[in-house]
Amino acid sequence: MIELDAVTKVYQAGAVQVRALDAVDLTVDDGDLVAIMGPSGSGKSTMMNILGCLDLPTQGHYRLDGADVGLLRENRLADLRNRSIGFVFQSFNLIPRTSAARNVELPLVYAGVGRRERRTRALGALERVGLGDRGPSMPNELSGGQQQRVAIARALVTRPTMILADEPTGNLDSASTAEIMRLLVELNGTGRTVVLITHEDEVATYAKRVVRLRDGRITSDDRVGAR
Ligand SMILES: Nc1ncnc2c1ncn2[C@@H]1O[C@H](COP(=O)(O)OP(=O)(O)OP(=O)(O)O)[C@@H](O)[C@H]1O
Ligand SMILES: [Mg+2]
């Protein structure tokens, strides 16, 4: 479970202070599928970075599965991040001139998993996203939608409990967007918590819950009918 308790994030930009999040309370239950929406600059990515343990609140507490993230040492935090969270980004962030299979394997290299198990699990994750036969392909040989599916396979390969996606369909056409969203819904259906940021109403219709941010505050939080 995710719990933000009065989380404030202040950035110091030269002489100006930017209050990107302002005393935000948010609880996300295991197995939920939440879309975070809001205008540019409203604090969505800031919230995602905190949820992903990539950044810490200036004030307030973030508890992930009961552990107060702010109290963990950097190595424990890195460990928690690698074990519990799979990240998906708008720009796919695949490593160029490196095969799809190798891209998917990399988180397991960092986790110290042996070569054979890495290969097996990477192939399993690629199959999971419908790209079982594209392991040898280089990123530039794949379409945007396929690259994003490789990125999702890479996020899945460590078997995280939570997937965090910042504008995962931001660079995709509507057909690929639908494909990626159906995949995320499917992964959510098998028990993974999914939190995604989106600008697009169409994307938010796949979520079970829509949280709207404005100026670093939650302005609405609605449970919606998942399709
Ligand atoms: N590293 C930083 N240093 C200073 N200010 C920052 C930093 N990161 C974000 N901000 C500011 O914090 C506010 C929230 O930014 P954030 O990136 O969370 O918005 P966002 O909702 O993700 O916007 P977008 O939809 O454009 O991606 C903005 O005013 C932004 O300028
Ligand atoms: Mg953003």
Side-chain angles (χ1 to χ4, degrees):
M1 189 167 77
I2 289 173
E3 289 171 278
L4 295 179
D5 178 9
V7 164
T8 292
K9 179 71 190 182
V10 177
Y11 293 109
Q12 191 75 44
V16 227
Q17 286 197 335
V18 180
R19 190 171 287 261
L21 291 177
D22 190 5
V24 167
D25 294 316
L26 180 75
T27 301
V28 178
D29 291 324
D30 291 340
D32 213 344
L33 201 179
V34 185
I36 311 276
M37 300 192 77
S40 184
S42 57
K44 303 182 297 296
S45 294
T46 301
M47 182 188 267
M48 200 59 100
N49 289 342
I50 288 175
L51 293 180
C53 305
L54 297 167
D55 204 356
L56 294 172
T58 313
Q59 281 170 61
H61 295 274
Y62 171 32
R63 277 180 289 273
L64 178 56
D65 296 332
D68 189 329
V69 168
L71 301 179
L72 300 177
R73 291 171 187 280
E74 183 48 46
N75 59 343
R76 283 270 295 117
L77 198 61
D79 197 47
L80 183 71
R81 195 161 52 217
N82 294 339
R83 245 180 326 103
S84 312
I85 305 168
F87 293 95
V88 179
F89 302 96
Q90 175 171 0
S91 50
F92 323 137
N93 291 9
L94 297 179
I95 298 177
R97 292 180 294 281
T98 303
S99 72
R102 181 71 185 161
N103 265 283
V104 174
E105 260 185 51
L106 274 180
L108 299 177
V109 175
Y110 303 133
V113 175
R115 178 197 282 265
R116 276 178 84 111
E117 192 186 337
R118 285 205 310 261
R119 283 274 140 168
T120 313
R121 279 171 63 178
L123 189 62
L126 281 170
E127 273 164 7
R128 186 75 193 73
V129 301
L131 291 175
D133 55 346
R134 299 308 296 268
S137 299
M138 297 295 159
N140 66 357
E141 299 165 347
L142 299 169
S143 72
Q146 288 170 335
Q147 289 184 54
Q148 193 60 303
R149 283 195 275 153
V150 172
I152 292 174
R154 180 182 56 187
L156 283 177
V157 79
T158 54
R159 302 178 184 134
T161 50
M162 170 164 68
I163 294 177
L164 292 181
D166 194 342
E167 297 276 5
T169 61
N171 284 338
L172 300 178
D173 62 26
S174 57
S176 304
T177 292
E179 199 176 85
I180 291 301
M181 288 315 300
R182 281 196 296 267
L183 178 58
L184 289 175
V185 167
E186 224 177 271
L187 296 172
N188 174 251
T190 55
R192 289 178 198 82
T193 310
V194 177
V195 180
L196 68 99
I197 290 180
T198 184
H199 274 103
E200 300 162 81
D201 290 325
E202 170 64 15
V203 167
T205 62
Y206 289 87
K208 297 172 176 170
R209 177 181 176 191
V210 178
V211 173
R212 283 176 202 277
L213 283 178
R214 176 162 218 111
D215 297 334
R217 294 202 185 126
I218 292 177
T219 54
S220 70
D221 183 349
D222 297 307
R223 196 137 289 279
V224 289
R227 4 180 155 188

